[in-house]
Amino acid sequence: MTSHAKYRTRLPQLSGQVFLTDGGMETTLIYHEGLELPLFMAFPLLNQAEGLAKIRGYYRRYCRMACDAHMGFVLESPTWRANPDWAGRVGYSKLALADVNRKAIDLMVDMRDEFETPHSPMVISGNIGPRGDGYVPGQMMSARQAEDYHAEQIAVFSNTEADMVSAFTLNYTNEAIGIARAAKAHGMPVVISFTVEIDGQLPTGQALKDAIAEVDTETGAAPAYYMLNCAHPTHFSDALATCGIWIKRLRGLRANASKRSHAELETMTELDIGDPAELGRQYQELRRKFGHITVLGGCCGTDHRHVEQIALACEPIMQM
C-alpha cells in the first residue's frame, strides 16, 4: 500500500511556527463528557456512533482554536493505548486493532480536510503509548523487545496518511530507543515524549538530559525532536535550567493541569484542573527562555480552557 502522507518528508512544526495540540483527551471524555473509558482507552469509541461523534467534537474545538490563532496544529490520533497488550485486555484481535488504528488516522484526515488553512498547517501524528503503565516502569523491555513490540502499530501507521508517530508518557529509555528504531525502519518521523516525576527526573531516576542523550546516541539521533508530557511545569523547570546542546532537542510540552505527583493523581477520584491562566503564564515563561519549544498542548486534567490560555499567552511571543 502506498502512503500519501502530506508532511512526512517535511514536518512544518520544525520551521519555528507555534503549533498547538490538544489537551487531556481521556480525562476530558471521562470527567466532562461523562463517558466510560475502560483502562483509560479512547480508541474503542471509534467503533461506536455516539463515541465517534464525541471524539469529532473534541478535535473540532481545538482545530478551530488553532485556526483562530493562526497557529499550526498537531492532530494526535486517539490511539495512546491501541497496542496489543492493552487492547487485548478488552478483546481486540490483531486484525481489529490494526483496523481501529487505521480508522483513527482516517478521522485525523477528515479533521485536517475540514480545518487546515495556509496559516494553520495540520500535521497528523499516530499516537503511541507505553506497553505498560505510563507512570511506573514495571516489567521493562530491552530496546530490541520494544522495537519488535511497537513495530506492529508503527507499520500500520506507515501505510496511512499519518505524517509521523509520537510516543508519549515513556518512562525509561529502552522503550524509547526501540520505538525510535522501529519508526526509522518504517520510514516514519518519530517524536519521543518522556514523563518525569516532581524532581524532574524520569521514574527510573535518570536525568532528562541523560535520557535524551542516550536515545540519540543509540539511534543515530533518529527522533525528529523530543517532548515532555504528563508532568507540571513546576516539576521540570529546574531540569530545563541545566542548559546544554540537549535542550535544543526538546521542542514540545504537554503538561498536566495539576501540580500533584503521579502517585497522588492515581488515588484521586475528582479531577484537579489546576489554574488554566497560571499554566498559560508558565508556558509563556518557558517559551521566553526556550523559544525553540514550539509544540504546545496539555495532558491529564487539561482541556480547551488550558490550551486556550496557552495560546493566548504564547501568541505574542510568536509574533515578536
Side-chain angles (χ1 to χ4, degrees):
M1 180 177 178
T2 303
S3 169
H4 299 287
K6 186 173 184 178
Y7 295 119
R8 194 174 293 180
T9 60
R10 50 180 184 93
L11 297 178
Q13 66 267 46
L14 297 176
S15 68
Q17 180 183 0
V18 174
F19 274 67
L20 297 179
T21 187
D22 61 304
M25 169 179 280
E26 292 83 2
T27 51
T28 296
L29 294 175
I30 293 169
Y31 290 98
H32 298 312
E33 298 290 344
L35 300 179
E36 290 188 15
L37 300 186
L39 303 177
F40 222 54
M41 296 178 184
F43 70 86
L45 296 175
L46 296 170
N47 290 322
Q48 308 163 15
E50 182 183 354
L52 180 58
K54 290 284 189 183
I55 289 183
R56 282 186 183 275
Y58 172 86
Y59 283 109
R60 282 191 173 117
R61 172 172 260 162
Y62 286 101
C63 288
R64 288 191 189 101
M65 189 187 304
C67 290
D68 289 345
H70 284 193
M71 293 179 172
F73 193 76
V74 179
L75 284 153
E76 289 288 350
S77 63
T79 51
W80 182 66
R81 279 196 163 159
N83 62 44
D85 282 26
W86 287 103
R89 292 168 67 177
V90 291
Y92 271 71
S93 67
K94 285 193 174 185
L95 286 175
L97 183 56
D99 182 63
V100 82
N101 274 295
R102 284 189 289 266
K103 281 184 179 178
I105 301 303
D106 288 343
L107 175 60
M108 300 298 93
V109 173
D110 288 348
M111 292 294 100
R112 178 161 69 189
D113 289 346
E114 183 177 351
F115 288 102
E116 187 176 48
T117 72
H119 294 294
S120 296
M122 296 193 174
V123 178
I124 295 172
S125 172
N127 191 293
I128 296 171
R131 181 176 188 176
D133 190 296
Y135 290 167
V136 182
Q139 188 174 353
M140 295 190 287
M141 296 177 283
S142 68
R144 180 56 187 269
Q145 288 171 327
E147 181 179 354
D148 291 344
Y149 181 81
H150 289 288
E152 197 170 312
Q153 188 179 22
I154 292 170
V156 173
F157 288 144
S158 72
N159 286 314
T160 69
E161 291 187 54
D163 299 302
M164 55 186 279
V165 294
S166 299
F168 281 91
T169 331
L170 300 184
N171 52 42
Y172 68 102
T173 52
N174 276 354
E175 189 161 26
I177 291 165
I179 290 170
R181 287 174 177 169
K184 186 175 182 179
H186 284 89
M188 293 293 286
V190 60
V191 171
I192 296 295
S193 185
F194 287 114
T195 188
V196 295
E197 298 292 346
I198 59 174
D199 61 0
Q201 297 183 331
L202 271 63
T204 56
Q206 187 176 26
L208 176 64
K209 65 182 181 67
D210 293 337
I212 289 175
E214 182 182 350
V215 176
D216 269 353
T217 298
E218 294 297 325
T219 66
Y225 56 92
Y226 293 82
M227 293 182 66
L228 273 172
N229 81 290
C230 213
H232 193 268
T234 56
H235 301 165
F236 54 74
S237 293
D238 287 347
L240 301 190
T242 59
C243 291
I245 295 174
W246 72 275
I247 199 75
K248 291 291 187 181
R249 297 286 281 137
L250 187 71
R251 298 182 72 101
L253 299 175
R254 292 190 66 157
N256 281 350
S258 175
K259 298 176 183 177
R260 298 174 190 267
S261 69
H262 290 153
E264 290 172 320
L265 290 173
E266 286 278 69
T267 62
M268 291 186 67
T269 57
E270 295 182 355
L271 193 63
D272 179 2
I273 68 163
D275 183 337
E278 180 186 48
L279 189 66
R281 291 192 295 272
Q282 288 164 331
Y283 270 63
Q284 183 184 61
E285 183 60 28
L286 287 166
R287 283 267 298 137
R288 282 203 177 104
K289 293 178 181 176
F290 310 108
H292 64 280
I293 295 179
T294 54
V295 180
L296 310 174
C299 202
C300 296
T302 63
D303 55 43
H304 64 282
R305 295 168 294 181
H306 300 78
V307 177
E308 183 176 52
Q309 289 298 318
I310 291 166
L312 288 170
C314 294
E315 190 174 22
I317 300 173
M318 176 190 70
Q319 295 174 345
M320 285 173 63

